Amino acid sequence: MPHRRIAFVASRAPAAQVALTRLSNRYGQCAPEEADIVVALGGDGFMLETLHATQALDAPTYGMNRGTVGFLMNEYAEDDLLWRLDAAEEAVTNPLKMHATRTDGTEVEALAINEVNLLRTGPQAARLRIAVDGKVRMEELVCDGALVATPAGSTAYNYSAHGPILPIGSEVLALTAVAAFRPRRWRGALLPRAARVRFDVLDVEKRPMMAEADGTSVRDVVRVEVATEPAVCHRLLFDPGHGLEERLLREQFT
């Protein structure tokens, strides 16, 4: 078994901090920039933070659940960690890039591993125009919001909004409405992975909206463009038989 330089990182949750101390004492600790593998201790939210923070590094990330939600995490155990890392299966995902324009003309870009979503911030339903690859596909969607989700993120907010679960290798994105009012019960569409989606907010002063990409929130948006960012690759490690493909299938039969 090759020697592995491990960078343990942890959320601020007490259980994660205890695990950080115990594992780093047992297996050693190094800086993420020098590591062969990054081990993230926390929940799914912390895993997303870790992937964003280490996206410029070549090291893959192996998560162990010390939080409340653990879809992207492996089970926590202190024994045989080196064997588990050696046997782990790798899944590679690309994030989405959000380009949001606000009413004052300022622009914000952010990456999202799970989804980019738009939500109304006022008391009235929002009105959106949706274009795909430069062609308007829906002149008006009256809704509480809409989102574009990756396969890796399709079991998160997308699934709660009744969007489809996407196989990890499906090369598609989910475009899902949140509480669509008109067209009535419109649930969305499946788009090619390379598609570029543009949302234009209609009647922005009366029906304001915000956009969000993995914690980066932009209020008072007038236009939001979403596309896959192939230049960024996130490498996630999972125990054999518990990879993203298996987890996505299991979600559909529980």
Side-chain angles (χ1 to χ4, degrees), residues 5-186:
R5 296 170 296 177
I6 304 173
F8 293 100
V9 294
S11 72
R12 288 179 287 183
Q17 289 296 311
V18 170
L20 173 65
T21 299
R22 294 175 65 90
L23 290 170
S24 58
N25 286 340
R26 182 168 179 175
Y27 295 101
Q29 173 71 299
C30 71
E33 296 78 12
E34 301 171 353
D36 299 311
I37 294 177
V38 176
V39 175
L41 306 167
D44 282 349
F46 183 71
M47 171 60 95
L48 295 179
E49 291 180 23
T50 302
L51 292 173
H52 283 296
T54 61
Q55 68 187 29
L57 307 180
D58 187 49
T61 302
Y62 179 91
M64 285 204 286
N65 191 15
R66 293 283 81 187
T68 54
V69 179
F71 184 80
L72 298 175
M73 315 301 279
N74 299 283
E75 290 187 5
Y76 178 77
E78 296 178 17
D79 295 331
D80 299 323
L81 177 59
L82 297 181
W83 290 103
R84 292 173 72 185
L85 295 178
D86 190 54
E89 302 171 348
E90 183 175 288
V92 179
T93 67
N94 301 110
L96 299 170
K97 175 180 279 188
M98 174 186 77
H99 187 109
T101 304
R102 304 181 68 228
T103 53
D104 63 3
T106 58
E107 299 179 352
V108 178
E109 288 190 346
L111 296 179
I113 296 166
N114 277 352
E115 78 277 321
V116 172
N117 65 73
L118 288 82
L119 292 173
R120 67 182 176 98
T121 57
Q124 294 183 306
R127 296 171 59 226
L128 291 171
R129 181 168 58 240
I130 303 174
V132 179
D133 293 329
K135 182 175 182 179
V136 175
R137 293 292 182 177
M138 184 168 289
E139 288 288 351
E140 182 182 79
L141 171 65
V142 181
C143 58
D144 281 352
L147 62 89
V148 179
T150 66
S154 64
T155 59
Y157 188 16
N158 172 71
Y159 193 38
S160 298
H162 305 291
I165 293 179
L166 305 176
I168 196 64
S170 59
E171 294 291 312
V172 297
L173 303 173
L175 169 58
T176 301
V178 178
F181 177 71
R182 190 185 306 119
R184 183 74 73 176
R185 302 185 185 219
W186 186 72

